[in-house]
Amino acid sequence: VTVVLHIANEDPVVGEIDEMPKVTDTLVIVKNPRRRDGKDLQYLEEGVTTVIWPLYRLNFIEVMTLEEEEKLVGFVRE
């Protein structure tokens, strides 16, 4: 599932999660974290593919549908 994480005092982060966090969870595991424009996050080391964020740092999580995922980052070649 592709999500957009809105982290307190930071730009939103796009990534994939295996399942939605449960009410009892305290962490969210995000694979392939990146900025909305698809670029790497400057505060992560090169080659990082998975990040664990504590839920208390998140303001909210947007869940993307397949249609929204295609609009998020689209490359056009002519």
Side-chain angles (χ1 to χ4, degrees), residues 18 39 45 52 71:
D18 291 331
K39 294 182 181 177
E45 293 291 325
I52 302 170
K71 290 180 186 176

Side-chain angles (χ1 to χ4, degrees), residues 2-3 5 13-14 21 23 29 31 36-37 40-43 52-53 58 60 62-65 67 75 77-78:
T2 300
V3 295
L5 303 174
V13 173
V14 177
V23 175
I29 299 172
K31 296 179 183 175
R36 282 185 142 168
D37 59 6
D40 292 336
L41 299 170
Q42 72 272 6
Y43 51 84
I52 302 170
W53 266 290
L58 304 181
F60 61 95
E62 289 182 84
V63 180
M64 308 298 287
T65 64
E67 184 178 306
F75 298 97
R77 286 192 171 174
E78 295 184 27

Side-chain angles (χ1 to χ4, degrees), residues 4-66:
V4 179
L5 303 174
H6 292 269
I7 303 169
N9 301 318
E10 293 186 31
D11 291 332
V13 173
V14 177
E16 287 75 42
I17 59 175
D18 291 331
E19 59 184 45
M20 295 302 295
K22 297 174 184 62
V23 175
T24 57
D25 289 346
T26 59
L27 304 169
V28 62
I29 299 172
V30 181
K31 296 179 183 175
N32 193 22
R34 58 201 180 274
R35 293 180 5 189
R36 282 185 142 168
D37 59 6
K39 294 182 181 177
D40 292 336
L41 299 170
Q42 72 272 6
Y43 51 84
L44 295 180
E45 293 291 325
E46 189 173 327
V48 171
T49 59
T50 304
V51 177
I52 302 170
W53 266 290
L55 285 174
Y56 77 87
R57 291 280 323 254
L58 304 181
N59 292 329
F60 61 95
I61 299 173
E62 289 182 84
V63 180
M64 308 298 287
T65 64
L66 290 177

